[in-house]
Amino acid sequence: MDDEIDPSEVESLLADADPPRVVDIRSPAAFAREHIPGSENVPFAELPNRVESLSGADRIVTVCPHGQASVQAARLIKSFEGTADARVESMRGGLEAWDGPVETEATAEPDEGPEAPF
């Protein structure tokens, strides 16, 4: 991991011609409810198996609810050979600190926890 980045800087970078890849490590249900426009959902548990999809990126920003798990995700991404040359940062404060625009998916369903076994 290279550093942490402020949400305001992430918002500014997303307006650039060559924006960073924003990797949201929350569950698919949480991502569907609300996420940073243009971000991609790679749940933390799937990251080791999907990190290869980030190969060749110049800059990657990881995002989680509070900015703690995304630090670990950024370290994992940075350790991968295909992303070793990328600038990999964790968004400080997570989505809790994000004041920018958000998207929701029309098919998002409330996350009511695990289904009852009976």
Side-chain angles (χ1 to χ4, degrees), residues 54-57 80-86:
L54 302 171
S55 291
F80 179 67
E81 183 179 325
T83 55
D85 293 335

Side-chain angles (χ1 to χ4, degrees), residues 43-64:
F44 189 79
E46 297 175 20
L47 193 54
N49 295 325
R50 294 180 53 192
V51 70
E52 188 174 353
S53 69
L54 302 171
S55 291
D58 292 326
R59 192 167 192 175
I60 301 165
V61 176
T62 57
V63 177
C64 71

Side-chain angles (χ1 to χ4, degrees), residues 7-70:
S8 59
E9 188 177 348
V10 173
E11 187 174 5
S12 176
L13 289 171
L14 289 173
D16 286 351
D18 188 22
R21 289 184 67 176
V22 177
V23 178
D24 188 319
I25 63 167
R26 297 174 301 147
S27 71
F31 181 81
R33 276 194 307 276
E34 183 176 81
H35 57 270
I36 296 171
S39 62
E40 53 195 284
N41 186 219
V42 181
F44 189 79
E46 297 175 20
L47 193 54
N49 295 325
R50 294 180 53 192
V51 70
E52 188 174 353
S53 69
L54 302 171
S55 291
D58 292 326
R59 192 167 192 175
I60 301 165
V61 176
T62 57
V63 177
C64 71
H66 308 290
Q68 295 166 353
S70 59

